[in-house]
Amino acid sequence: MTCDPGSTVEMVVIIATSKGRTGLLINRSLKSVYGQKGADPLVIIVDDNPVRVGEDRSSEYDRIREGIVELRAKELVGTLEGHRETGHPNIDGTFRTELLPNMGTRGNSGTGAWNTGIRHALDKMDGRLFYILFLDDDDEYLGGHLSTCERAIRSCDTAPAAVFSPLIWKGRGVEEVHDIDADRLTQKDFFTGNPGVQGSNMCFRSDVLVKLDGFDEKLPSTTDRDIMIRFLDLVDEMRSEDPGKARIVVNAAPMAVHHAYGGDRVTDDREAK
């Protein structure tokens, strides 16, 4: 896959939602996707809420679907002309959004839901290479996130393996930028800490996730670090064949906001982690 400066980079945003956080999903995460300028991704939302025995969908599924419809009516009115100006396709289906039940492992930091979204995206794209971005249901993108990633991709002669952007980290009474040091994107650093890459600032080329076989659904925690460790191992292999395809681009400015307020998270349970 080479980069044509005049072409559009196809993108898919996957949001996994659970723990009844439908309000945050609709009013924060999805709203921030619909607010992206100069981009028109396919949006896949995967419901990872508990499902009762004998049922195939959670009790939140219909609430999520209704929230999507209401948000689209509110946020996307009057945006079509702007998208015509940018030259992006699918004018009548701007920010196409699909809702799926999780078909994989439930819980475990959303790994089954992420993989459900990945598989669906691959089916929809029918063999074409594209980029997959992730967003937690309580995080948000800044307005230029997708277009910044697209420019970074098109600035390379060969489509890079991944694009990562710094995060704005928000806790209770704390807000700080977590920069990404490209020199610390190593397996050792991910084994011993977190160099700044996690779900909401990941952007992978689709064939890379295929080779990685997605997220490890057996892990209850540290799933972001696990996929990054395996990704960096794959990049080392790819580099000997085609350095361009193994390239990792790190954007300079923060493009996403991670809301870390504690609560019902497996990573707050040291024993479980």
Side-chain angles (χ1 to χ4, degrees):
M1 180 181 183
T2 57
C3 293
D4 179 357
S7 66
T8 297
V9 175
E10 291 189 275
M11 292 183 168
V12 175
V13 175
I14 302 175
I15 308 175
T17 186
S18 63
K19 303 184 186 301
R21 291 196 292 253
T22 301
L24 288 171
L25 164 71
I26 300 299
N27 298 311
R28 180 187 288 167
S29 293
L30 186 57
K31 183 177 180 180
S32 77
V33 176
Y34 288 170
Q36 294 296 298
K37 305 300 181 184
D40 185 19
L42 169 64
V43 183
I44 299 173
I45 299 173
V46 186
D47 177 16
D48 195 25
N49 285 288
V51 177
R52 294 175 182 170
V53 176
E55 299 184 1
D56 57 359
R57 293 178 180 176
S58 78
S59 59
E60 283 290 305
Y61 190 90
D62 287 340
R63 186 178 170 217
I64 296 170
R65 179 177 54 79
E66 291 166 4
I68 293 170
V69 172
E70 291 175 4
L71 185 68
R72 291 183 67 82
K74 179 181 178 182
E75 296 295 321
L76 299 183
V77 172
T79 64
L80 299 186
E81 187 61 37
H83 282 279
R84 288 193 183 94
E85 291 173 1
T86 64
H88 282 267
N90 305 307
I91 298 301
D92 295 327
T94 307
F95 293 103
R96 298 155 296 162
T97 303
E98 301 189 19
L99 173 62
L100 309 172
N102 179 12
M103 302 302 292
T105 303
R106 294 194 171 275
N108 281 7
S109 296
T111 50
W114 295 129
N115 288 342
T116 295
I118 292 169
R119 287 190 291 268
H120 187 71
L122 292 168
D123 288 343
K124 296 289 287 189
M125 291 301 181
D126 195 26
R128 302 192 304 276
L129 283 181
F130 59 100
Y131 281 82
I132 296 179
L133 300 94
F134 301 95
L135 181 61
D136 288 343
D137 62 0
D138 56 348
D139 289 346
E140 60 188 304
Y141 288 155
L142 298 182
H145 179 49
L146 297 184
S147 58
T148 298
C149 288
E150 181 174 345
R151 284 196 299 272
I153 293 164
R154 291 199 283 120
S155 70
C156 304
D157 292 334
T158 302
V163 180
F164 303 129
S165 303
L167 282 169
I168 296 175
W169 193 92
K170 284 189 177 183
R172 296 192 182 279
V174 177
E175 180 175 333
E176 58 189 14
V177 175
H178 283 199
D179 289 321
I180 300 174
D181 182 352
D183 292 334
R184 290 191 60 225
L185 294 181
T186 68
Q187 290 179 319
K188 177 181 177 180
D189 281 293
F190 277 99
F191 271 118
T192 59
N194 185 353
V197 179
Q198 58 195 72
S200 296
N201 62 348
M202 290 177 167
C203 173
F204 291 107
R205 202 176 63 226
S206 57
D207 63 321
V208 167
L209 288 174
V210 170
K211 291 177 182 176
L212 292 174
D213 198 24
F215 291 83
D216 187 339
E217 298 185 25
K218 299 186 296 296
L219 294 178
S221 184
T222 63
T223 55
D224 299 340
R225 296 187 198 183
D226 169 73
I227 202 168
M228 283 300 300
I229 289 166
R230 292 187 288 117
F231 165 70
L232 291 168
D233 192 38
L234 174 62
V235 163
D236 284 343
E237 295 177 14
M238 294 169 56
R239 192 169 286 123
S240 61
E241 299 175 3
D242 188 336
K245 289 184 178 181
R247 181 174 178 179
I248 300 171
V249 179
V250 176
N251 288 322
M255 287 288 120
V257 180
H258 173 59
H259 293 267
Y261 296 106
D264 187 9
R265 296 171 182 266
V266 69
T267 47
D268 293 327
D269 184 336
R270 302 300 294 181
E271 275 188 43
K273 188 172 181 179

